[in-house]
């Protein structure tokens, strides 16, 4: 409790009032996290003292900027336990990381009729890149079904693997159901069946310790903005052997070794995939976010979120007229999506907002999952290291008021 | 909490005056807002002089989209179709009388979009850009 | 002089000393510009008060963030005189903007054998995307030659247009030669020949007033970081009719209207091309940069740079052993690349750095242009609104010292 | 200004002791640094016991790359080839005696890279990753 007060004081926005006397209750961290001063200060400091373009510069600022940019990559690489910092490619976000694989690996190694296996619980980021690829080169998409209680159907998964997909791509943690998928086992099965594995880590890396070597995944994608870092930057982890065989994605400065009018030769990893002036200040902020997370400790963060989620789950479950999605017994990530009978999620969210409570309403970029459950939209509360039990109490109170108003 | 939801909105949502379908109607149009799953259909009956004599909406959606549809239809009975074509965002905002952020504005404007599409005689499925501003 | 002192005081980094007693002389703005406090503060304020994910959120923060993000787009759109803010797509940088056109327009509308016309003075950003496209779909690339004095050969251009290229893509201002190309006339000729026109505006938008409608270009690409804005964001302007016909680039959240397991429908402009959580804070900073530029006035900025460049050019020209690149009489942009006889640019740059003077040494991402002039690298000094004559004097002094040391 | 450029570097650059080519050489290797256009070739003569008896470099580049090549060759005459295989970044830094940022480090290391490639008998054009750390 002391600890969480201290943590909250590191986040300037948590001092904000939405209206005079109405403090912000931020329960939308799955959409994007808030940022501690450490992260903001590191970026301001970068701009105020070191700002320069990187890699090709000889002068002091260029050297400092390059060092900061690469030091951040080193931190991120260590954070996810990559073998080498050359396996960490900066992207704009999770979405770009997945698109990079679809373009650079997919267009080189997939042929018409090849199967890419996805799941029904994917975020649009892990669906649409494959739709685009299918429409352009004729691959086939299959989906691991989601069971009624929000888990992946593992028996079906094993059957689908018999179709010999070339790639299995799925989320580590669902941003709607809270489900945490058994990545290690799924990767093992996939590899046994000869498939590569891409994992969408947007909702996992921010919340618990991830070891890409131990999980033995081939690609892993995540976003800084969901893990205390700035917008505009994310990362793709990829195994070196794979990244080396892939074709470049975007062309331009920095990703080349040599350019002539007639053609170019690509740069070494990781630069091969970083075209043009990158998000330098954002990389610095990303590195500081990792510093902050490491300092608090990923296990402590996970523990806190499990507790908050359990607390919220049990209170919400006991609210009449409220239906929760996802499996209750399973260890869940800190997101709870629910329906309030007879009241549209937009109305729920807007009424809660007038009490300062920020929740999300909609399909949360998982329309197919909502279609599966036969509802167009849900309300979602999501938690992070700075979420307090008292905020959950206010959410419950708020929901009761909404129900009364519509009653 | 309820300052944004004037009683009138809740009232129109719970007890709409124009909910239903007209069979047969002179003009019908439907559309949806995929972002929130709202779906709205509007049926109109028009007299010889081109004036709206009857109107009804059906579908599902949030209180804002449903209430604004109900208020909107209430405001157009007896009016010539041509007048409907001139209606815009501000007319809706005046009707519902609360401030709306960009996301909720789309909910409120769905009914206007469907109504104007009907008024312009746009065919279902045709892609036409309507000016609502 | 009063004015420039005031301007300089807005840029925190210009107060920096590289070593005790050695102030920073930043002559590398063509690589990236420095940032005024206004820009840094707008981003800090965004994170400390408004940070949320955009577009789909109902709560106050989400609405504020969406409004700030879109207001910035409006400012940028007005700044380049686009017809509508829907014609301005956020990208990471100029490089991504050009790649977007190559992927989304090129792969849909170009066929094997179709010609894309570039120039010999292009930055790698406007060469390699076309190399990649050629290697993948078999288009043909042709190049407008650069004359000995650093201009595009207009007679050759007219001849090349007779080959009926589908696209002419060239830089508005060269980052090595300082040449400012006659975009309006070139676009007119291109259109007459039935070609579309893409202009690389990385070195123009920051330095003088650009009106995309008056120039009548089809696409225009630029980066925030070169115009006082943050890293991690840039923009592509495109004519609405064209953008509408193009296929999506990356797939994911926000760029869709609807997603089912079987497929997706794309969102309206400009969102169709913005997949995933965008660089929100960076957009806010980009907007503030435009505010700052507008407040100083693009004509005043251009005037100041012409003056500084003329001053630098005449002093450099009179240094024995120093050879300047580019056309002297032509109105030039604020970059001067030069050779110092017998001394490698890296040595020049490093020795200048020890006196706090930041210049760039290398091929400046224009290897083909350097090959053309038969030298692997040059030293480049580049200027901006905050460059003072006294800084040019120090550059000259520094160069004399370098020559003495190697003499 | 010149603290970074010890006199020794300028001196080795202007008056190198090992500039030239050996025809015939026992081993030759060349490589370049496309970023700055530096190009370096090293020729070696080896005696029956596997020791370096003669060495020469040619090509062009900045003072750092040329001076470090000259110093490096000066330090290996008489040494067994196997010892050269063990040399690393620190050896070069010790030789030139100044601190270098990442870009200039590449200039300084070009000679080591070429020398080690020669020592390992790598064929020209073969792509091998050498550990210089
Ligand atoms: C003429 C020109 N085009 C394109 C670029 C690439 O810009 P960015 O690295 O921001 O994509 C630059 C800057 O390096 C440039 O000077
Ligand atoms: C599971 C999941 N995948 C992918 C994404 C996309 O992340 P981004 O928008 O940062 O690319 C999100 C977040 O919205 C997510 O929750």
């Amino acid at each position: 409790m002391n600890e969480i007060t201290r943590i909250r004081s590191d986040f300037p926005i948590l001092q904000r009032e939405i209206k005079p006397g109405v403090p912000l209750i931020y329960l939308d961290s799955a959409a994007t996290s808030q940022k501690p001063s450490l992260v903001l200060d590191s970026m301001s400091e970068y701009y105020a003292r070191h700002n320069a373009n990187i890699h090709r510069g000889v002068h002091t600022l260029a050297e400092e900027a390059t060092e900061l940019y690469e030091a951040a990559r080193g931190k991120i690489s260590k954070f996810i336990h990559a073998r080498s910092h050359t396996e960490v490619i900066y992207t704009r976000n999770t979405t770009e990381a997945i698109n990079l694989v679809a373009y650079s690996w997919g267009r080189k190694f997939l042929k018409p009729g090849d199967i890419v296996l996805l799941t029904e619980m994917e975020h649009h980021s892990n669906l649409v890149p494959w739709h685009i690829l299918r429409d352009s080169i004729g691959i086939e998409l299959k989906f691991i079904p989601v069971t009624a209680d929000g888990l992946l159907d593992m028996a079906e998964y094993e059957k689908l693997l018999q179709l010999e997909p070339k790639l299995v791509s799925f989320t580590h943690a669902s941003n709607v159901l809270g489900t945490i998928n058994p990545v290690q086992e799924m990767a093992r099965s996939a590899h046994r069946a000869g498939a590569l594995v891409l994992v969408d880590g947007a909702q996992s890396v921010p919340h618990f310790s991830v070891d890409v070597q131990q999980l033995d995944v081939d690609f892993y994608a995540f976003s800084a903005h969901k893990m205390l870092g700035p917008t505009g930057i994310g990362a793709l982890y990829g195994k070196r052997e794979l990244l080396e065989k892939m074709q470049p994605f975007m062309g331009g400065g920095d990703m080349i070794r040599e350019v002539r009018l007639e053609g170019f030769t690509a740069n070494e990893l990781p630069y091969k995939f970083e075209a043009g002036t990158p998000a330098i200040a954002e990389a610095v902020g990303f590195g500081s976010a990792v510093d902050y997370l490491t300092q608090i400790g990923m296990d402590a963060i996970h523990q806190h979120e499990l507790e908050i989620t359990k607390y919220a789950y049990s209170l919400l479950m006991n609210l009449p007229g409220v239906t929760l999605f996802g499996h209750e017994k399973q260890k869940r990530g800190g997101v709870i999506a629910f329906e309030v009978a007879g009241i549209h999620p937009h109305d729920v969210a807007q009424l809660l907002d007038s009490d300062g409570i920020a929740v999300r309403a909609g399909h949360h970029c998982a329309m197919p999952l909502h279609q599966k459950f036969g509802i167009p939209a849900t309300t979602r509360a999501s938690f992070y290291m700075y979420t307090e039990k008292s905020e959950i109490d206010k959410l419950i109170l708020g929901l009761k008021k909404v129900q009364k108003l519509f009653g | 909490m309820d300052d944004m939801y004037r009683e009138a909105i809740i009232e129109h949502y719970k007890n709409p005056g124009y909910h239903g379908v007209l069979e047969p109607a002179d003009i019908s149009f439907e559309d949806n807002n995929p972002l929130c799953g709202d779906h709205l259909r509007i049926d109109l009956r028009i007299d010889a002089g081109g004036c709206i004599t009857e109107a009804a909406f059906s579908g599902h959606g949030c209180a804002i989209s449903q209430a604004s549809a109900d208020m909107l239809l209430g405001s157009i009975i007896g009016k010539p179709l041509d007048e409907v074509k001139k209606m815009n965002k501000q007319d809706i905002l005046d009707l519902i009388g609360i401030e709306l952020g960009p996301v909720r504005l789309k909910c409120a404007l769905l009914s206007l979009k469907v109504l104007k599409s009907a008024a312009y005689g746009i065919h279902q499925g045709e892609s036409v850009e309507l000016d609502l501003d």
Side-chain angles (χ1 to χ4, degrees), chain A, chain B:
Chain A
M1 193 55 190
N2 236 353
E3 172 73 357
I4 194 159
T5 310
R6 203 177 55 67
I7 287 176
R8 288 177 66 86
S9 72
D10 289 335
F11 291 76
I13 207 171
L14 297 182
Q15 268 72 65
R16 160 142 189 207
E17 295 186 338
I18 287 301
K19 287 186 288 211
V22 179
L24 168 65
I25 313 281
Y26 188 72
L27 301 178
D28 194 20
S29 287
T32 199
S33 73
Q34 296 304 342
K35 329 294 175 197
S37 301
L38 182 78
V39 168
L40 306 185
D41 294 348
S42 72
M43 292 192 286
S44 299
E45 160 93 9
Y46 167 79
Y47 281 125
R49 292 198 50 81
H50 310 293
N51 175 64
N53 215 324
I54 55 167
H55 287 317
R56 296 163 306 238
V58 166
H59 59 74
T60 303
L61 295 187
E63 282 179 359
E64 290 172 352
T66 306
E67 238 165 73
L68 287 165
Y69 179 75
E70 292 302 334
R73 194 197 305 271
K75 291 176 192 177
I76 296 158
S77 162
K78 236 176 95 182
F79 188 64
I80 58 162
H81 301 90
R83 237 180 327 162
S84 152
H85 66 100
T86 59
E87 299 182 316
V88 174
I89 294 156
Y90 287 123
T91 62
R92 177 172 31 246
N93 47 28
T94 304
T95 304
E96 190 190 22
I98 297 173
N99 279 277
L100 197 166
V101 177
Y103 274 100
S104 292
W105 177 82
R107 286 184 189 233
K108 178 154 178 198
F109 292 103
L110 293 179
K111 292 180 303 296
D114 279 350
I115 293 175
V116 169
L117 186 53
L118 309 169
T119 89
E120 289 180 347
M121 65 166 76
E122 296 313 306
H123 187 279
H124 295 163
S125 292
N126 197 22
L127 293 170
V128 185
W130 309 111
H131 289 147
I132 293 179
L133 188 62
R134 178 200 56 195
D135 295 348
S136 105
I137 68 167
I139 56 167
E140 211 181 313
L141 305 180
K142 299 272 179 192
F143 303 89
I144 308 171
V146 171
T147 63
D149 50 1
L151 302 179
L152 289 180
D153 184 332
M154 285 300 151
E156 269 309 310
Y157 175 45
E158 293 296 335
K159 272 194 234 156
L160 285 162
L161 284 177
Q162 291 168 17
L163 302 173
E164 299 188 358
K166 290 284 189 291
L167 175 74
V168 185
S169 185
F170 58 95
T171 194
H172 198 153
S174 161
N175 67 324
V176 178
L177 303 166
T179 312
I180 297 174
N181 290 317
V183 172
Q184 197 174 3
E185 296 90 278
M186 289 178 70
R188 203 179 296 130
S189 302
H191 286 148
R192 212 180 291 125
L196 292 182
V197 173
L198 186 163
V199 170
D200 170 352
Q203 298 293 348
S204 45
V205 180
H207 300 290
F208 48 85
S209 173
V210 166
D211 182 331
V212 291
Q213 288 191 75
Q214 194 190 311
L215 296 173
D216 194 24
V217 295
D218 300 292
F219 300 107
Y220 201 92
F222 51 108
S223 298
H225 72 92
K226 292 194 201 276
M227 51 192 286
L228 312 186
T231 52
I233 194 158
L236 173 70
Y237 159 82
K239 282 187 188 161
R240 192 183 172 97
E241 315 80 78
L242 290 167
L243 295 175
E244 267 175 352
K245 284 189 291 185
M246 284 156 61
Q247 64 194 29
F249 179 24
M250 297 196 220
D254 256 21
M255 57 68 71
I256 54 91
R257 185 177 146 86
E258 207 162 349
V259 177
R260 285 155 302 110
L261 286 180
E262 301 78 40
F264 72 100
T265 52
N267 204 343
E268 61 193 10
L269 290 174
Y271 313 114
K272 174 178 168 184
F273 294 106
E274 295 178 1
T277 305
I280 308 171
E282 291 73 14
V284 174
F286 198 172
S288 298
V290 164
D291 285 342
Y292 189 89
L293 290 169
T294 308
Q295 187 194 308
I296 305 293
M298 290 313 292
D299 291 341
I301 292 169
H302 188 44
Q303 213 45 53
H304 174 71
E305 288 176 25
L306 285 177
E307 224 171 274
I308 285 282
T309 308
K310 213 169 114 189
Y311 183 70
Y313 198 95
S314 61
L315 289 179
L316 282 166
M317 209 175 54
N318 289 324
L319 271 189
V322 171
T323 314
L324 307 191
F325 290 87
H327 198 284
E328 77 193 275
K329 285 173 214 117
Q330 188 85 349
K331 270 198 182 185
R332 315 175 31 119
V335 304
I336 302 180
F338 55 91
E339 255 195 308
V340 185
I343 314 178
H344 193 286
H346 274 175
D347 296 320
V348 175
Q350 189 169 347
L351 283 165
L352 288 176
D353 179 60
S354 56
D355 280 356
I357 304 166
V359 297
R360 195 140 287 237
H363 51 58
H364 318 300
C365 290
M367 288 181 97
L369 183 66
H370 280 79
Q371 285 151 13
K372 164 116 189 175
F373 287 118
I375 40 163
T378 52
T379 307
R380 182 186 72 184
S382 57
F383 320 123
Y384 208 180
M385 56 195 303
Y386 41 67
T387 309
E388 289 187 298
K389 281 192 179 166
S390 66
E391 295 181 304
I392 306 298
D393 296 336
K394 287 190 187 145
L395 169 66
I396 302 296
L397 218 66
L399 285 171
K400 287 182 181 160
K401 277 167 74 180
V402 174
Q403 289 182 314
K404 196 161 147 225
L405 198 69
F406 273 82
Chain B
M1 172 180 262
D2 48 357
D3 49 348
M4 296 275 286
Y5 278 65
R6 288 185 329 160
E7 266 165 48
I9 289 179
I10 303 274
E11 187 49 34
H12 277 277
Y13 176 61
K14 285 198 215 162
N15 303 306
Y18 296 88
H19 193 270
V21 286
L22 304 178
E23 295 275 17
D26 293 313
I27 316 179
S28 297
F29 197 83
E30 55 190 301
D31 202 353
N32 63 3
N33 179 347
L35 271 179
C36 43
D38 290 0
H39 184 93
L40 192 75
R41 167 177 159 174
I42 289 179
D43 298 322
L44 300 176
R45 286 202 181 125
I46 315 291
D47 68 14
C51 286
I52 297 162
T53 56
E54 281 179 84
F57 76 94
S58 51
H60 56 262
C62 61
I64 300 274
S65 82
Q66 300 279 297
S68 72
D70 201 51
M71 292 175 179
L72 179 60
L73 295 193
S75 78
I76 58 162
I77 302 291
K79 290 204 180 148
L81 217 48
D82 281 344
E83 202 165 304
V84 164
K85 292 183 187 166
K86 281 183 244 145
M87 294 183 82
N88 63 23
K89 189 164 92 178
Q90 196 52 49
D91 295 309
I92 290 283
L93 291 179
D94 291 347
L95 278 171
I96 59 178
I98 62 173
E99 272 192 44
L100 290 174
V103 170
R104 302 317 306 281
L105 193 59
K106 283 201 186 134
C107 304
L109 293 181
L110 179 59
S111 54
L112 181 63
K113 211 172 137 204
V114 173
L115 179 65
K116 287 185 75 167
S117 299
Y120 274 105
I122 292 171
H123 291 287
Q124 199 62 52
E126 213 178 318
S127 163
V128 177
E129 241 175 282
L130 286 171
D131 189 9
L132 302 181
D133 285 331

